[in-house]
Amino acid sequence: MEAQRLLSGFCSPSPIPNARTQYFVRFPSPSPSPSSSSSSSAASFAQSHRWVSFKARPLSTKLIQCRNTADTERAEVVVSSDKQDLTSGIRRKKLAVFVSGGGSNFRSIHEACLNGLILGDVVVFVASKQGCGGADYAREKGLPIMVFPKTKLEPDGISPADLVATLRGLEVDFVLLAGYLKLIPVELIQAYPRSILNIHPSLLPAFGGKGHYGMKVHKAVIASGARYTGPTIHFVDEHYDTGRILAQRVVPVLAKDTAEELAARVLREEHSLYVEVITAVCEERIVWREDGVPIIRSKENPNEYG
């Protein structure tokens, strides 16, 4: 399967590893050598990606062998099962982030996961094109990258069926759209009901729908004479920007605002609001009213909702 090929790793015995197991590799420090030659085993191992085996059992410590063209090195692998918040008993969630552009919201989400603000981990990055800035960041952080959808311009993209199969193989809990401009296929929406979120740079339902994205939204807001705007986070359905609204934040439109100035202020609120909402989602604090409207339960006071 094309999706499996894209996610295959150097040391994985199967194209898609068991997502329930996390691997922490602790390599030995190179021993002092009288020779400074770069052909030493420690140096060649550190520089080589030609690994041939990777075996471990959950909740155990094993020694594995990683072999390159010339030498063999040994590394200790500590393996643990899914992380869990010991105070709340809530399992860490696995997140897939979809991006089309620079990915500033994606970076904010990923950093919040690493810093412990979000009880979750980004386990895969999905780009609508290989050259987007968000993909560069994902590569730097060692995250698996997929391209979706497959088009004439992106022949390495995958199909909706492969996309769903891969996300399920990675046991993804939530899909987060962070500046992703393609329409989400029905197959993915059906596979992840009430589990796909999007962020839009206006107060929906105003200035939403097909063709309303990025700077186009802010120019339209200023041209309309609207006094307020701001980001909206909503669940995703089969159409552009019509899913149930989960959270919004108001940003005043100033009299002499340019689209660029307004966009910068809205983006700052996007970064903080998306992290807050994902935190609530991963902590299982989303409550659906009888009329189908989602609301967020306060962490400090479970009887209050935002």
Side-chain angles (χ1 to χ4, degrees):
M1 185 184 298
E2 181 67 17
Q4 291 179 329
R5 181 185 68 79
L6 292 172
L7 282 173
S8 61
F10 291 118
C11 277
S12 175
S14 60
I16 300 179
N18 181 359
R20 289 187 178 277
T21 304
Q22 294 184 341
Y23 299 87
F24 301 91
V25 182
R26 188 161 60 244
F27 294 109
S29 301
S31 56
S33 170
S35 172
S36 60
S37 171
S38 60
S39 62
S40 67
S41 96
S44 60
F45 173 71
Q47 295 170 4
S48 174
H49 284 168
R50 299 175 183 174
W51 298 356
V52 296
S53 64
F54 188 90
K55 297 180 181 179
R57 289 196 299 265
L59 300 178
S60 67
T61 299
K62 288 178 65 69
L63 288 177
I64 63 168
Q65 285 190 338
C66 292
R67 187 186 306 274
N68 61 24
T69 54
D71 304 285
T72 299
E73 294 288 339
R74 296 171 69 83
E76 184 179 6
V77 178
V78 181
V79 186
S80 68
S81 57
D82 275 347
K83 296 179 182 179
Q84 188 174 21
D85 188 309
L86 299 180
T87 58
S88 66
I90 298 176
R91 175 181 59 83
R92 291 183 69 88
K93 303 302 187 293
K94 295 172 183 176
L95 312 174
V97 184
F98 287 44
V99 174
S100 290
S104 66
N105 270 305
F106 160 53
R107 300 181 192 199
S108 177
I109 293 166
H110 185 253
E111 289 172 0
C113 291
L114 295 179
N115 294 334
L117 297 177
I118 293 176
L119 189 63
D121 302 289
V122 178
V123 297
V124 64
F125 176 88
V126 180
S128 62
K129 53 185 177 181
Q130 295 189 35
C132 72
D136 293 337
Y137 176 85
R139 291 187 190 96
E140 291 175 5
K141 300 302 178 180
L143 294 173
I145 298 173
M146 295 189 298
V147 176
F148 177 83
K150 183 175 184 177
T151 65
K152 290 182 179 180
L153 296 177
E154 295 294 342
D156 291 332
I158 60 176
S159 68
D162 281 350
L163 175 65
V164 171
T166 303
L167 296 183
R168 282 177 168 169
L170 292 171
E171 298 184 344
V172 166
D173 296 293
F174 296 102
V175 173
L176 310 174
L177 310 185
Y180 187 77
L181 303 182
K182 301 294 184 179
L183 189 64
I184 298 301
V186 174
E187 295 92 332
L188 184 58
I189 294 171
Q190 292 175 345
Y192 285 88
R194 294 183 173 182
S195 300
I196 307 175
L197 290 172
N198 181 49
I199 188 163
H200 184 78
S202 73
L203 296 174
L204 293 175
F207 309 103
K210 187 175 182 179
H212 284 82
Y213 60 89
M215 203 60 66
K216 293 182 178 181
V217 171
H218 305 297
K219 290 179 179 179
V221 168
I222 291 174
S224 74
R227 301 303 195 263
Y228 298 95
T229 186
T232 297
I233 296 174
H234 64 94
F235 285 94
V236 174
D237 59 16
E238 295 86 350
H239 309 285
Y240 285 105
D241 304 327
T242 59
R244 291 289 190 172
I245 293 172
L246 180 58
Q248 293 180 313
R249 184 160 291 169
V250 175
V251 175
V253 181
L254 305 182
K256 296 184 179 181
D257 261 340
T258 64
E260 291 75 15
E261 291 169 339
L262 182 59
R265 293 207 310 280
V266 171
L267 185 61
R268 284 195 295 270
E269 297 301 326
E270 287 184 35
H271 291 168
S272 61
L273 182 63
Y274 217 174
V275 168
E276 290 175 16
V277 169
I278 296 168
T279 298
V281 168
C282 290
E283 292 175 355
E284 303 176 5
R285 290 190 283 112
I286 307 304
V287 177
W288 290 82
R289 295 188 332 205
E290 292 183 359
D291 59 359
V293 173
I295 53 178
I296 299 175
R297 187 177 67 245
S298 168
K299 185 174 184 178
E300 290 73 23
N301 187 348
N303 295 319
E304 294 183 358
Y305 298 86

